[in-house]
Amino acid sequence: SSGINAEYGGPPGSGKSTYCRAIAHHLSTVIKRSVIIVNLDPANDKPPYDADVNVQQLVEVDEVMERLSLGPNGAILFCMEYIEENIGKLKDAILSQKAYVIFDCPGQVELYTHHQSFRNIVDEITQKWGMQLCVVSIVDSHYCADVSKFVSVLLTSLSSMMHLELPHINVLSKIDIIEKMGPLAFKLDFYTEVLDLSYLLDKLDERVCGRKFIKLNKVLTELVEDYNLVSFYPLNVQDVACLQRVCKAVDKANGYVYGELEERTVSGLLESSAKGNDDLEFQFDRCQT
């Protein structure tokens, strides 16, 4: 059984698990699509959803830390290597449900940028199980308020895309509270569309950062622009229009076209929402910028 599915990753605290719950609810109640959530994070023992399949049936970080005297990061890497060897034990539980599968993945960035185990896991799922996967990388939007942190996010996103070699959607989460960490130097679309990054460098103070640090950031931004692969979708999980836009992007990346019933359901939802809720229409316009 092949399917159109998504894997959600990103740094701890970016809102991955919250988004998994929100998008699963959106898909099942609004679009009427059969959905299951797979918790693929051996450290997430209290996810904000009821996992249909839980990798902690195989291995748990706390147990690994205790038995092998490892720290949190070392234990996560050990767990992912163990999952790589034993992912087949979850195959029947996942494929037998004939549903759209949401994989909630760990937050350690190195798993997506250079460590091989997670890459091998997704290769197993796509090549041997016959599932079509799209990676959704979720990053907290407050990084936009700091130039050097946003450059780091760009480089990490690019590294993940190159390493995993799968359809990839990058998301800036929590846009409803984006300016609580400080005012943005540019409009939101500058960050989502990753426009001329040379303007970012003008916001770095040489007296504070030093000339070499600015030169480093210049080289990194030029690298990101040369590849021209990274862009972001803004997300507020409480906004139906934003959820639908990300959902549609994931489906498009996976090559999935709505069935007739799904298309009518979504169109009807957005039309009725736009007519009856000016705030939602405003939020949808803001997501499009």
Side-chain angles (χ1 to χ4, degrees):
S1 168
S2 62
I4 306 299
N5 315 279
E7 294 201 347
Y8 296 87
S14 60
K16 295 184 305 299
S17 296
T18 300
Y19 176 66
C20 287
R21 178 185 64 185
I23 200 66
H25 181 265
H26 179 79
L27 287 168
S28 61
T29 61
V30 175
I31 302 181
K32 309 301 182 184
R33 192 180 297 180
S34 179
V35 180
I36 66 170
I37 302 180
V38 177
N39 178 24
L40 209 57
D41 185 353
N44 189 2
D45 57 350
K46 294 181 180 179
Y49 52 77
D50 294 325
D52 298 279
V53 180
N54 198 331
V55 77
Q56 293 188 343
Q57 297 169 344
L58 295 180
V59 63
E60 295 184 32
V61 162
D62 289 343
E63 184 178 356
V64 170
M65 290 174 62
E66 182 179 348
R67 290 192 177 188
L68 301 182
S69 299
L70 293 174
N73 286 337
I76 279 285
L77 296 181
F78 177 90
C79 287
M80 297 312 294
E81 291 170 359
Y82 182 86
I83 295 168
E84 177 190 350
E85 295 296 325
N86 295 276
I87 188 67
K89 295 180 179 179
L90 301 178
K91 180 179 179 180
D92 289 342
I94 295 172
L95 296 185
S96 63
Q97 303 195 49
K98 309 287 185 182
Y100 183 103
V101 183
I102 295 173
F103 293 92
D104 186 10
C105 301
Q108 277 62 26
V109 173
E110 60 267 31
L111 295 174
Y112 313 108
T113 57
H114 59 274
H115 194 267
Q116 196 61 30
S117 287
F118 190 79
R119 166 64 190 266
N120 293 340
I121 291 170
V122 297
D123 284 349
E124 170 89 9
I125 293 172
T126 56
Q127 296 174 16
K128 295 185 179 180
W129 296 12
M131 297 178 73
Q132 185 75 19
L133 285 180
C134 174
V135 175
V136 181
S137 180
I138 302 176
V139 180
D140 198 317
S141 60
H142 81 259
Y143 289 120
C144 296
D146 186 299
V147 172
S148 58
K149 288 181 180 178
F150 184 66
V151 172
S152 297
V153 165
L154 292 172
L155 190 61
T156 301
S157 299
L158 178 60
S159 298
S160 299
M161 297 173 77
M162 300 296 291
H163 180 62
L164 295 178
E165 295 184 299
L166 285 171
H168 208 106
I169 300 295
N170 297 302
V171 171
L172 288 175
S173 65
K174 309 175 187 177
I175 62 163
D176 50 320
I177 57 172
I178 188 172
E179 293 192 350
K180 285 191 175 181
M181 296 299 294
L184 298 181
F186 305 99
K187 292 184 178 180
L188 183 61
D189 62 347
F190 177 87
Y191 301 94
T192 57
E193 300 301 324
V194 189
L195 302 177
D196 189 348
L197 296 177
S198 62
Y199 289 103
L200 281 178
L201 303 177
D202 296 336
K203 302 300 178 180
L204 292 174
D205 190 340
E206 185 176 320
R207 294 170 298 177
V208 177
C209 302
R211 184 176 301 176
K212 289 184 177 180
F213 183 76
I214 294 178
K215 186 177 180 180
L216 171 64
N217 278 270
K218 181 176 184 295
V219 172
L220 294 178
T221 55
E222 289 174 349
L223 175 66
V224 172
E225 288 182 325
D226 285 345
Y227 276 96
N228 194 28
L229 291 175
V230 182
S231 61
F232 297 91
Y233 285 85
L235 175 68
N236 171 7
V237 295
Q238 298 177 355
D239 187 331
V240 174
C242 273
L243 281 173
Q244 180 56 31
R245 187 164 184 256
V246 175
C247 180
K248 187 174 181 180
V250 173
D251 283 341
K252 183 178 179 180
N254 265 328
Y256 177 74
V257 179
Y258 282 145
E260 184 179 353
L261 177 61
E262 285 187 357
E263 186 68 45
R264 288 203 306 267
T265 301
V266 172
S267 298
L269 168 78
L270 294 180
E271 286 176 9
S272 61
S273 297
K275 291 178 181 177
N277 190 335
D278 292 337
D279 182 61
L280 178 61
E281 185 174 4
F282 168 75
Q283 291 282 357
F284 183 55
D285 290 338
R286 187 172 70 174
C287 284
Q288 288 185 308
T289 49

